[in-house]
Amino acid sequence: MAESQNKKDLAHARTKVSFDVQGMTNYLHGGAANVEHRQYITDLIACEPIFNKDDCTFQDPGSYRGWLNHTDAVKRGIAMSTRLAEINMEHDLNDLDFATMMEAIDEPLPIVLHNGEEQIEKWIPLFEKFQILGCYAQIELGYGSNLSQLETTATFVKETDEWEINSTSFTASKWWIGGLGALSTHAVIQARLFIDGKIYGAHVFVIPLRSLEDYKPFPGVEIGGIGPKAYNGFNKMDNGFARFNKYRISRDIMLMRFSKVSKDGVYTKPPHAKLVYGSMVLLRSVLIRQMALYLSRATTVATRHLTVRRQFKNPTSRNDSDLNPSLETQVINYPMVQNRPFRMIAQSYALFTAGQVMMEMYVGLMTGLSSGNINALAEVHAMSSGLKSYCTTMCRKLMGGHGFSYFTGITHLFTSIVPSNTYEGDNYVLTQQMARYLLKEVKTAKATSEKVTPFSKYLLLALNKSAFARTTCAAGVVEDWLNPNIQLAAFEHRCARLAFELSDAVEQGGLDQVNPKTWSDHNIECYRISHAHAQYVTHAQYVMVLWFIQSVKDAQDPETEEKRRAQGSSIKVLERLSHLQVLHTIQTNLGDFVKDGYFSPAQCLSLHAQVKSLVAGLADEAVGLVDAFDHPDFLLNSALDAADGDAYKRLWDKAQTEPLNRRDVCDGYEEYIRPLLKKHGELKL
């Protein structure tokens, strides 16, 4: 059989790439050793029949994940979780390996929330051997983000040295809890603590839920599933509810690393009120890297498909007449098409950097906490909140017609990303955390400017209001937009103005940011300044724009550790990606930069011209850039973007697995279609 045009097109596109793809892969994933180990872990999963994504052999020929109903999907999720736990123990894998396996499986499974409980020292041996299975239960039917108003209570009973866990109403039921509906034997729950009638706020407890003998819920515990989710997403995750009726458990099930309660009911408070947010900071930090992986997969699917898809014979400045003059134009050659996926590729690269830096900040925080140093807590909590909100709203629709098919993998990505806007903190609510932090920094800047943190130094620019108001952008010609100093100055100006606008609004209204009745009036401003700040965050002294700029600088610095350096052929492409990510972010939020006259109309026009030039300059590199993400076909599971490019053949083959195609005459013909056709007698044509 002759080689398909699709395969020829993708192979030809790879010949135009100017950099070494493997070298870029090593840069993205932190060195060749990490890339090799990632492949080893992925192979462990890929060879297991139960994780086969083309599967029509597991229990039922219709078991492909697109065909499963909710109940069958949950059952398979439990089976997959069981095998995952076995592999974890068989190969003595660590937490990072476990996360890599979950990435390769590409399914939210009940077991994933169990793995996060290994931080609980008392339970480590049991969790490691999977002798008990855990989940994390914070959200309630009536409350989610507001920890102080959770309705689940934990009341200390001195006489028996026990806690009485109680759901004070049906809205106090723990809700949306992954792993709770069918799998978990224990839950780490958040409940409001009461001692002698006094409230001590939300605290964390380990609650036994089910008997390890017959798996039935203990008396006083009611458990169930909450049903299927939107778009049929997360269908293997057994999201469930739990309701407690004066359920008694021993005092030592409270996690007492920071807060403590003695046998006689004496309460010892933690050194910092926000230490309870430690696990959330970790999960929000992980989400940033996860969004990098999701967005990079989506751009891989889109870029490869747009390369092999041909429509019309409209001439473009970039054509493939050298390949075959009689063919229609590759869709990726149209500038309007390039403008969407190329920007997303740049943002994917930026997110890889952001995820790495955020995890380094988290590790630094936890190292400090272990020795009693809480200085970085407020900053890391605010930064992780703002970045989580920003990064998980970057999902975009990149494809047309075929993109609506489940077989492309895009739909599965979409359903995986959508819930991230809410879990681990609603994105709009989280922006208030960043805004509160920045308002405190504004006060610090006004009172003792030398104490402003490196991430917020730009606030000092606005202390002299009259001079700040006269400040304008220094870009004179189109090429000036490629100057990192001009780029960063624009972000600094925008962030400083928005922060002081919010601060002034609070002060002039006689309002108090800790007063919920007045603070809520400024939620919109909080959202804007939080995203402005998150787009500027970077490692060392800056704040996501400079992270990318700095990482490109480090990549070409001989003093940088080898795993973070990039080859010479990659540097220019990385710089172009950095410029595009920065300038696209400015262009998308242009109103904030022109509102006070910082940008002139002429500068706006030259900015648009530079962005257009940067996009066009990435056309030959696009396929290589997505290849560098190193997502194997097993992970992508997309008919349209396999590495060999044979898209249409795979899409045809996938369609043949549709259960409707098992019979020549579909189910329902005798009951419905035939009576309708014969209603007025036999018809012969």
Side-chain angles (χ1 to χ4, degrees):
M1 181 182 295
E3 186 177 42
S4 70
Q5 187 61 48
N6 294 158
K7 296 178 74 171
K8 291 178 182 178
D9 286 343
L10 195 57
H12 185 66
R14 290 189 171 116
T15 66
K16 298 183 178 182
V17 176
S18 69
F19 61 92
D20 178 64
V21 173
Q22 186 60 55
M24 187 72 85
T25 297
N26 295 342
Y27 164 76
L28 278 173
H29 293 285
N34 285 346
V35 172
E36 183 178 349
H37 187 66
R38 179 172 174 261
Q39 184 61 57
Y40 162 72
I41 296 298
T42 300
D43 288 345
L44 290 179
I45 296 301
C47 68
E48 293 284 337
I50 196 171
F51 301 124
N52 182 1
K53 296 168 187 177
D54 290 325
D55 189 349
C56 289
T57 61
F58 178 80
Q59 293 183 342
D60 183 303
S63 64
Y64 175 68
R65 66 187 181 188
W67 314 138
L68 293 175
N69 63 38
H70 177 64
T71 302
D72 290 340
V74 169
K75 182 178 179 180
R76 182 161 188 184
I78 293 172
M80 294 168 74
S81 295
T82 300
R83 183 59 191 138
L84 181 63
E86 291 171 348
I87 294 171
N88 196 70
M89 291 185 288
E90 288 168 5
H91 296 273
D92 193 24
L93 303 179
N94 59 33
D95 287 351
L96 182 59
D97 295 334
F98 188 92
T100 303
M101 285 197 295
M102 287 303 305
E103 175 192 332
I105 291 169
D106 190 30
E107 292 277 10
L109 298 178
I111 199 73
V112 68
L113 295 171
H114 162 90
N115 203 55
E117 308 311 330
E118 293 183 357
Q119 60 178 306
I120 306 167
E121 189 170 318
K122 175 181 177 180
W123 306 92
I124 286 178
L126 300 178
F127 277 117
E128 285 184 339
K129 296 177 182 177
F130 294 91
Q131 292 177 290
I132 60 176
L133 302 171
C135 62
Y136 176 66
Q138 173 181 316
I139 297 173
E140 297 175 353
L141 182 57
Y143 283 93
S145 301
N146 191 356
L147 277 176
S148 66
Q149 295 301 311
L150 292 178
E151 295 182 87
T152 303
T153 60
T155 303
F156 184 55
V157 183
K158 292 182 183 178
E159 294 76 13
T160 58
D161 196 29
E162 291 178 310
W163 295 104
E164 183 176 274
I165 309 298
N166 194 45
S167 301
T168 54
S169 70
F170 77 91
T171 58
S173 302
K174 295 300 181 181
W175 203 264
W176 278 114
I177 312 305
L180 180 58
L183 184 73
S184 296
T185 63
H186 290 65
V188 177
I189 76 162
Q190 290 272 5
R192 285 198 296 162
L193 189 155
F194 286 76
I195 302 176
D196 294 331
K198 184 177 180 180
I199 303 175
Y200 290 89
H203 287 70
V204 184
F205 302 81
V206 179
I207 307 294
L209 300 171
R210 293 179 167 97
S211 166
L212 295 177
E213 298 300 322
D214 59 14
Y215 224 61
K216 291 182 179 180
F218 288 115
V221 180
E222 180 183 358
I223 304 176
I226 65 171
K229 277 75 70 177
Y231 317 110
N232 200 34
F234 277 53
N235 68 342
K236 292 183 178 65
M237 177 68 78
D238 59 332
N239 295 86
F241 69 84
R243 189 173 179 182
F244 305 101
N245 182 20
K246 298 182 178 180
Y247 179 47
R248 293 287 187 94
I249 46 180
S250 64
R251 176 176 55 87
D252 61 3
I253 58 86
M254 175 183 169
L255 299 187
M256 299 191 191
R257 179 182 178 187
F258 300 117
S259 305
K260 294 178 174 59
V261 176
S262 67
K263 189 173 183 178
D264 55 0
V266 176
Y267 176 80
T268 303
K269 67 180 182 179
H272 195 289
K274 284 188 168 50
L275 284 173
V276 68
Y277 296 129
S279 61
M280 285 189 177
V281 170
L282 170 60
L283 293 171
R284 290 168 187 168
S285 300
V286 168
L287 273 173
I288 298 167
R289 171 176 165 78
Q290 190 176 57
M291 289 306 110
L293 295 170
Y294 280 143
L295 189 58
S296 62
R297 285 168 54 193
T299 55
T300 300
V301 173
T303 301
R304 289 177 179 172
H305 175 57
L306 296 173
T307 299
V308 303
R309 183 72 170 174
R310 291 176 176 272
Q311 293 280 14
F312 311 110
K313 284 191 176 182
N314 298 332
T316 66
S317 59
R318 179 182 186 268
N319 220 322
D320 58 346
S321 57
D322 56 327
L323 192 63
N324 192 329
S326 67
L327 296 174
E328 291 182 288
T329 302
Q330 288 173 289
V331 173
I332 201 167
N333 287 339
Y334 293 113
M336 178 59 76
V337 173
Q338 295 174 352
N339 196 47
R340 287 175 286 168
F342 292 4
R343 297 179 317 192
M344 296 296 106
I345 291 172
Q347 288 181 325
S348 298
Y349 273 71
L351 282 174
F352 268 92
T353 298
Q356 177 184 342
V357 176
M358 193 67 244
M359 282 306 300
E360 289 175 353
M361 291 180 66
Y362 172 77
V363 171
L365 167 67
M366 297 311 292
T367 300
L369 290 179
S370 66
S371 60
N373 185 345
I374 62 174
N375 293 338
L377 180 59
E379 184 172 63
V380 176
H381 174 243
M383 206 66 66
S384 65
S385 298
L387 277 170
K388 184 271 180 184
S389 173
Y390 175 58
C391 294
T392 55
T393 56
M394 292 174 66
C395 175
R396 295 289 190 274
K397 297 178 182 178
L398 300 174
M399 299 172 67
H402 289 315
F404 194 63
S405 169
Y406 194 87
F407 296 132
T408 65
I410 291 291
T411 302
H412 179 73
L413 280 175
F414 177 73
T415 59
S416 298
I417 292 171
V418 166
S420 68
N421 286 263
T422 302
Y423 61 63
E424 302 311 323
D426 176 84
N427 280 354
Y428 285 87
V429 174
L430 284 182
T431 60
Q432 297 177 45
Q433 304 295 335
M434 176 66 82
R436 290 179 189 273
Y437 169 76
L438 288 175
L439 284 174
K440 292 178 181 178
E441 287 291 278
V442 169
K443 287 185 177 180
T444 300
K446 291 177 178 178
T448 51
S449 59
E450 68 277 6
K451 292 185 179 181
V452 172
T453 64
F455 290 101
S456 307
K457 288 289 186 182
Y458 58 78
L459 294 173
L460 304 180
L461 300 172
L463 290 177
N464 185 331
K465 289 189 176 183
S466 60
F468 183 75
R470 295 192 300 270
T471 306
T472 57
C473 178
V477 295
V478 173
E479 290 73 21
D480 286 344
W481 289 111
L482 303 182
N483 184 333
N485 293 327
I486 288 178
Q487 295 170 358
L488 292 171
F491 278 94
E492 290 172 342
H493 183 89
R494 175 199 185 202
C495 292
R497 179 177 62 78
L498 290 173
F500 274 83
E501 279 183 3
L502 177 59
S503 177
D504 290 345
V506 170
E507 290 181 2
Q508 291 170 8
L511 308 179
D512 184 349
Q513 61 169 303
V514 299
N515 184 337
K517 290 184 179 180
T518 57
W519 176 250
S520 297
D521 292 337
H522 299 288
N523 288 169
I524 294 175
E525 289 87 347
C526 293
Y527 181 83
R528 290 171 60 216
I529 182 58
S530 177
H531 276 222
H533 188 79
Q535 290 165 1
Y536 170 71
V537 184
T538 155
H539 186 261
Q541 298 181 345
Y542 303 50
V543 230
M544 183 172 138
V545 163
L546 190 55
W547 276 353
F548 199 7
I549 293 174
Q550 188 63 46
S551 70
V552 176
K553 288 182 179 178
D554 292 342
Q556 52 192 310
D557 186 347
E559 298 300 319
T560 301
E561 55 182 327
E562 185 177 355
K563 67 180 182 179
R564 294 191 178 179
R565 292 204 301 268
Q567 297 177 355
S569 61
S570 300
I571 298 300
K572 287 186 178 180
V573 183
L574 285 170
E575 287 177 336
R576 184 174 288 273
L577 287 172
S578 174
H579 293 320
L580 178 57
Q581 192 268 334
V582 174
L583 298 183
H584 165 62
T585 302
I586 293 175
Q587 182 175 262
T588 303
N589 300 275
L590 202 52
D592 280 342
F593 295 94
V594 301
K595 182 177 180 180
D596 64 348
Y598 186 75
F599 285 177
S600 69
Q603 288 173 328
C604 293
L605 289 175
S606 66
L607 171 67
H608 293 321
Q610 186 56 261
V611 170
K612 185 176 181 179
S613 174
L614 288 168
V615 169
L618 286 171
D620 286 345
E621 316 293 356
V623 169
L625 288 169
V626 298
D627 283 350
F629 291 136
D630 195 35
H631 295 315
D633 289 348
F634 172 78
L635 171 61
L636 294 172
N637 191 35
S638 172
L640 292 186
D641 80 322
D644 67 359
D646 206 4
Y648 299 147
K649 176 63 166 57
R650 281 190 170 79
L651 192 55
W652 167 267
D653 290 342
K654 284 281 192 179
Q656 307 318 303
T657 67
E658 159 66 60
L660 285 174
N661 299 331
R662 295 179 200 164
R663 300 173 58 183
D664 291 335
V665 178
C666 68
D667 290 341
Y669 168 74
E670 292 293 341
E671 298 96 324
Y672 307 111
I673 300 176
R674 189 176 189 281
L676 176 64
L677 293 175
K678 305 301 181 182
K679 188 176 182 65
H680 297 288
E682 296 291 334
L683 177 65
K684 294 183 179 180
L685 297 176

